[in-house]
């Protein structure tokens, strides 16, 4: 057997007998436990953040749905008013009667457009406020949880 082989065998034999100091082992175990705990906290915070994003998206979707429903309702009301006015004008017997009906329709539609604009503004403000409140709540929760993790 040559010197290199014998030295290698001696090193392996010594390595088999080597023991990890208790303080190093305790430090390693503590490090793993702390890492696991930090991971669990971060994982919980991430899951809560995902839920918060879902809540924001749901609030935005609900707002978009109510806005589109209001828009369709308004379009239907306006179309019905136009058809009723057209029908009344078609039944008119004189040009002055047609002019009066047309003027009445325009006056009515201007008033309706003003009211509808106000309703859309109020609805969009409400939707924006609700969405921003959801966003603010989610951000606050996320920051609070990140403080606990860190």
């Amino acid at each position: 057997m040559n010197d290199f082989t014998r030295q290698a065998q001696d090193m392996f034999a010594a390595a088999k007998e080597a023991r990890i100091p208790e303080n190093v082992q305790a430090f390693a175990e503590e490090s793993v436990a702390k890492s696991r705990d930090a991971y669990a906290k971060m994982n919980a915070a991430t899951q809560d953040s995902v839920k918060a994003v879902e809540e924001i998206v749901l609030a935005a979707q609900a707002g978009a749905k109510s806005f589109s429903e209001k828009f369709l309702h308004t379009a239907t009301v306006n179309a019905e008013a136009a058809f009723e006015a057209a029908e009344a004008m078609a039944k008119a017997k004189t040009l002055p009667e047609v002019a009066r009906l047309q003027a009445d329709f325009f006056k009515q539609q201007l008033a309706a457009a003003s009211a509808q604009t106000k309703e859309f503004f109020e609805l969009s403000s409400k939707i924006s406020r609700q969405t921003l409140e959801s966003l603010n709540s989610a951000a606050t929760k996320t920051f609070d949880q990140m403080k606990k993790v860190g």
Side-chain angles (χ1 to χ4, degrees):
M1 184 181 310
N2 64 30
D3 284 340
F4 177 75
T5 306
R6 191 179 34 211
Q7 287 176 349
Q9 287 176 345
D10 289 346
M11 283 178 53
F12 284 126
K16 286 182 183 179
E17 300 298 319
R19 297 281 176 220
I20 298 172
E22 288 182 25
N23 62 342
V24 172
Q25 192 174 18
F27 176 76
E29 289 174 3
E30 183 180 341
S31 294
V32 170
K34 285 181 179 180
S35 295
R36 182 181 301 276
D37 184 52
Y39 168 77
K41 288 177 182 176
M42 191 65 109
N43 189 31
T46 301
Q47 288 176 1
D48 288 343
S49 295
V50 168
K51 288 176 187 173
V53 169
E54 288 173 354
E55 289 174 12
I56 293 167
V57 169
L58 289 174
Q61 284 177 332
K65 182 180 181 206
S66 77
F67 193 86
S68 65
E69 288 171 349
K70 181 68 175 170
F71 182 81
L72 288 173
H73 173 73
T74 301
T76 301
V77 167
N78 291 342
E80 287 297 322
F83 283 123
E84 287 175 14
E87 187 177 15
M89 286 184 246
K91 292 179 181 178
K93 303 288 186 212
T94 64
L95 284 177
E97 185 181 0
V98 169
R100 182 185 54 76
L101 289 169
Q102 190 173 29
D104 289 347
F105 172 70
F106 282 132
K107 183 180 172 183
Q108 182 183 33
Q109 283 307 106
L110 284 174
S114 176
Q116 291 165 354
T117 300
K118 182 180 176 185
E119 289 174 7
F120 277 116
F121 179 76
E122 288 171 355
L123 180 60
S124 64
S125 293
K126 177 184 172 187
I127 292 167
S128 296
R129 194 170 42 256
Q130 289 173 338
T131 303
L132 287 174
E133 286 171 0
S134 294
L135 182 61
N136 188 33
S137 174
T140 301
K141 286 179 187 175
T142 300
F143 288 133
D144 287 345
Q145 286 188 330
M146 289 301 173
K147 286 179 189 176
K148 290 177 185 176
V149 170

